[in-house]
Amino acid sequence: FLTGIRRNSGGTSMSESYLFAASFDQAGEQEWGTMVPRALVASKSDEDAGYRSFCAKDKLMLLVPDKEENLANYTSRGELKKVRKGPYIPLVIGFSATGEASFAKFGAPANYSLWVSRLPLDMSISNATFAIPCSKKAGKKEISGMLFMDFK
């Protein structure tokens, strides 16, 4: 699999206009390619405009920050709302064997914060289980821990 992003930088902000995902066979021939539109605008200094790609059950998955109201727009191919400084949800994009994208909100409890920028490059515990760093606000304190994501 190959993933990439179209990012524009200017002044003190950056924006994304699409994510690209593709699958290649063992001979290097492209099997499929998919572009996913994005409307993220973030400060270079304190906002994460990134994503993480990983494989679960031999399928390509992307974890990206987005606005919750965009979830329905992705599914219906509607116009995306610009995503500026939070609050974000962790959006999971999965790709079928033919490259068709499907979208879902990562189902973590609402009072946990998951930051894509804090994700290690290799989150994999097994082919279907992943560890994700997270934090939870408890009054004025922030407690850090791990959430485990399992694909069945």
Side-chain angles (χ1 to χ4, degrees), residues 105-134:
K105 176 182 174 182
F106 179 69
N111 58 351
Y112 283 83
S113 296
L114 295 131
W115 296 98
V116 175
S117 62
R118 291 186 195 161
L119 294 178
L121 291 177
D122 184 10
M123 306 178 303
S124 177
I125 293 173
S126 71
N127 188 30
T129 303
F130 299 84
I132 299 177
C134 67

Side-chain angles (χ1 to χ4, degrees), residues 7-136:
R7 180 178 288 165
N8 298 317
S9 297
T12 60
S13 68
M14 68 179 92
S15 63
E16 293 178 10
S17 53
Y18 64 83
L19 288 169
F20 172 78
S23 176
F24 297 87
D25 66 17
Q26 290 181 345
E29 297 294 323
Q30 185 173 331
E31 297 174 316
W32 55 260
T34 303
M35 289 185 16
V36 176
R38 297 281 290 148
L40 185 93
V41 178
S43 163
K44 288 182 186 175
S45 60
D46 65 356
E47 290 292 305
D48 178 35
Y51 69 97
R52 292 296 182 269
S53 57
F54 56 98
C55 288
K57 294 285 189 176
D58 299 322
K59 301 287 185 213
L60 177 63
M61 308 288 282
L62 300 177
L63 184 64
V64 299
D66 212 314
K67 291 280 193 186
E68 188 159 11
E69 54 265 32
N70 274 338
L71 181 55
N73 295 330
Y74 280 113
T75 304
S76 67
R77 300 184 193 270
E79 185 174 339
L80 299 174
K81 297 186 185 313
K82 276 211 186 303
V83 178
R84 295 193 185 270
K85 192 172 183 102
Y88 298 134
I89 63 161
L91 178 70
V92 177
I93 305 171
F95 296 89
S96 71
T98 59
E100 185 176 339
S102 60
F103 306 89
K105 176 182 174 182
F106 179 69
N111 58 351
Y112 283 83
S113 296
L114 295 131
W115 296 98
V116 175
S117 62
R118 291 186 195 161
L119 294 178
L121 291 177
D122 184 10
M123 306 178 303
S124 177
I125 293 173
S126 71
N127 188 30
T129 303
F130 299 84
I132 299 177
C134 67
S135 60
K136 179 181 180 181

